[in-house]
């Protein structure tokens, strides 16, 4: 089969190319899926550069989310799937290819209301947002929440989930006015603060009458660490999912909020989780979000669809941080 490879195993965008590799073998509990489309995620950029370790036993081919048709099934596969079924799903790797072997526990039947491209943009981002909201922050209706990088795909999903499940207020941050406008007008967030022109902590405290927000979901790490502690409410939860702003804190960092405000700080990743944990989140996605995709209450925002021959341009779009939603590549 053909697949996207990286010259030298790691490197810049120019190292990406399509080559011929062996078709993956599938186990008795897996399906072999012929890929129609795959979604890009920031971890793909890090893995391409050699900064994201692949989980043990996972394919070294980039990509964790895809849509396609089942080509073959293992004898012990669950879920009542059949050859020819249209599906989308989450994998530990291998989506930038014509075929992928994946556990049927991580497959979802493709709704007729959604395109191949939309379905390829759901698994990683919506499952990550589901994990952050329900398993890590223990969100309940009536709590307030702030999503950093509000126009990123995970936050786009998280904001929609928060609004639908009756958060008292849904805030976001972004670095461009156009992204802030998108987050409030298209996604229904209460307010979005431009971190390049506004002091977002001051704005949060002003908007919440000095209380702060109950939950903060962060992808920046060190650069927002102090500000998150300043903006979170008493008994609040900060969920850290990334380190786009570094991992080293300055010596003057004030961590008194951990005791003074009784703050909980929790970090997590999805790709390193076992199949049972990911399967639970997949079930939540099917039960909680899929009906809302079908009737249009939830929307998959796709910024750009490119043929996979233009995978370099797709990675370039992600690196420029100008997207509002998913970048998707199609095969065929």
């Amino acid at each position: 089969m053909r697949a996207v490879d990286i010259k030298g195993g790691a490197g810049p965008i120019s190292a990406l190319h399509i080559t011929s590799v062996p078709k993956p073998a599938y186990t008795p509990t897996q399906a072999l899926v012929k890929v129609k489309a795959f979604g890009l995620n920031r971890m793909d950029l890090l893995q391409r550069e050699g900064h994201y370790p692949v989980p043990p036993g996972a394919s070294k081919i980039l990509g964790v989310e895809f849509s396609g048709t089942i080509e073959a099934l293992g004898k012990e596969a669950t879920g009542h799937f059949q050859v020819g079924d249209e599906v989308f799903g989450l994998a530990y790797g291998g989506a930038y290819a014509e075929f992928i072997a994946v556990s049927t526990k991580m497959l979802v039947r493709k709704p007729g209301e959604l395109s191949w491209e939309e379905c390829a943009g759901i698994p990683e981002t919506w499952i990550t947002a589901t994990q952050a909201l329900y398993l890590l922050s223990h969100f309940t209706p009536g709590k307030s929440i702030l999503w950093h990088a509000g126009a990123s795909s995970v936050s786009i999903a998280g904001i929609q989930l928060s609004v639908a499940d009756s958060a008292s207020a849904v805030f976001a941050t972004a670095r461009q006015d156009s992204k802030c406008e998108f987050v409030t007008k298209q996604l229904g967030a209460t307010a979005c603060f431009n971190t390049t022109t506004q002091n977002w902590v001051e704005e949060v405290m002003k908007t919440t009458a000095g209380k702060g927000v109950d939950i903060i979901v962060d992808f920046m790490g060190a650069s927002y660490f102090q500000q998150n502690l300043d903006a979170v409410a008493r008994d609040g939860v900060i969920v850290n999912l990334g380190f786009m702003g570094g991992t080293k804190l300055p010596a003057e960092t004030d961590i008194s909020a951990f005791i003074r405000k009784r703050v909980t700080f929790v970090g997590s990743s999805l790709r390193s989780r076992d199949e049972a944990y990911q399967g639970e989140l997949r079930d939540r996605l099917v039960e909680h979000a899929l009906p809302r995709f079908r009737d249009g209450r939830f929307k998959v925002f796709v910024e750009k669809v490119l043929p996979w021959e233009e995978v370099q341009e797709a990675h370039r779009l992600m690196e420029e941080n100008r997207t509002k939603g998913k970048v998707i590549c199609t095969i065929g």
Side-chain angles (χ1 to χ4, degrees):
M1 70 171 185
R2 293 181 299 159
V4 175
D5 195 12
I6 309 164
K7 293 174 185 174
I13 288 175
S14 59
L16 293 172
H17 67 287
I18 296 175
T19 189
S20 181
V21 300
K23 187 183 292 187
Y26 59 96
T27 69
T29 61
Q30 289 183 320
L32 183 69
V33 177
K34 183 175 175 59
V35 178
K36 289 270 194 180
F38 59 83
L40 273 68
N41 293 282
R42 195 154 295 277
M43 76 176 81
D44 301 348
L45 310 185
L46 295 172
Q47 184 180 332
R48 189 202 74 224
E49 295 170 345
H51 302 316
Y52 197 111
V54 177
S59 170
K60 288 184 170 49
I61 296 171
L62 294 169
V64 297
E65 58 182 356
F66 61 91
S67 61
T69 56
I70 294 179
E71 184 89 356
L73 274 170
K75 293 180 180 180
E76 300 171 19
T78 59
H80 306 291
F81 291 104
Q82 296 180 355
V83 171
D85 281 352
E86 298 180 345
V87 294
F88 63 95
L90 183 68
Y92 289 103
Y96 287 30
E98 290 181 314
F99 293 92
I100 186 170
V102 62
S103 168
T104 52
K105 291 180 181 178
M106 296 311 299
L107 291 179
V108 180
R109 297 180 190 280
K110 175 186 172 294
E113 296 87 347
L114 297 181
S115 68
W116 292 110
E117 293 83 2
E118 288 172 318
C119 286
I122 291 174
E124 168 66 18
T125 49
W126 280 82
I127 287 178
T128 296
T130 297
Q131 177 197 29
L133 197 61
Y134 304 112
L135 298 193
L136 301 177
S137 75
H138 304 293
F139 169 86
T140 53
K143 288 187 176 180
S144 59
I145 187 166
L146 182 145
W147 294 83
H148 284 306
S152 68
S153 293
V154 173
S155 289
I156 287 172
I159 290 167
Q160 291 183 76
L161 287 165
S162 304
V163 171
D165 285 356
S166 304
S168 60
V170 182
F171 302 111
T173 64
R175 296 178 181 177
Q176 300 166 24
D177 286 340
S178 61
K179 289 185 175 182
C180 284
E181 185 175 349
F182 165 77
V183 166
T184 53
K185 293 188 176 179
Q186 298 277 347
L187 304 181
T190 309
C192 181
F193 310 114
N194 186 331
T195 58
T196 61
T197 61
Q198 294 176 286
N199 183 320
W200 68 266
V201 176
E202 288 183 0
E203 295 297 328
V204 164
M205 299 309 286
K206 187 192 308 178
T207 308
T208 61
K211 177 192 173 185
V213 285
D214 297 315
I215 298 166
I216 295 176
V217 183
D218 176 52
F219 309 90
M220 302 305 294
S223 62
Y224 281 10
F225 188 87
Q226 184 69 69
Q227 293 163 295
N228 287 336
L229 289 177
D230 294 341
V232 74
R234 179 169 291 180
D235 295 314
V237 180
I238 300 169
V239 178
N240 178 249
L241 299 178
F243 300 116
M244 291 170 60
T247 60
K248 304 293 186 182
L249 296 175
E252 64 272 15
T253 302
D254 179 3
I255 64 170
S256 64
F258 283 111
I259 293 177
R260 182 167 44 83
K261 293 185 182 180
R262 301 189 295 268
V263 172
T264 298
F265 185 97
V266 55
S268 188
S269 66
L270 181 61
R271 196 175 184 182
S272 61
R273 298 285 192 170
D274 63 28
E275 193 176 283
Y277 182 95
Q278 291 196 1
E280 179 186 344
L281 286 166
R282 174 258 179 211
D283 292 344
R284 282 183 179 240
L285 176 75
V286 170
E287 295 163 9
H288 192 64
L290 201 60
R292 299 178 185 183
F293 284 122
R294 288 181 179 276
D295 65 20
R297 283 178 290 170
F298 284 167
K299 184 175 179 181
V300 184
F301 288 84
V302 177
E303 174 78 16
K304 188 84 171 178
V305 176
L306 295 164
W308 75 321
E309 290 85 358
E310 297 180 31
V311 67
Q312 290 188 9
E313 176 60 21
H315 270 236
R316 195 168 289 111
L317 278 171
M318 285 282 289
E319 286 194 349
E320 289 173 352
N321 291 321
R322 290 189 287 110
T323 57
K324 297 186 287 290
K326 296 295 295 188
V327 177
I328 305 292
C329 285
T330 55
I331 300 177

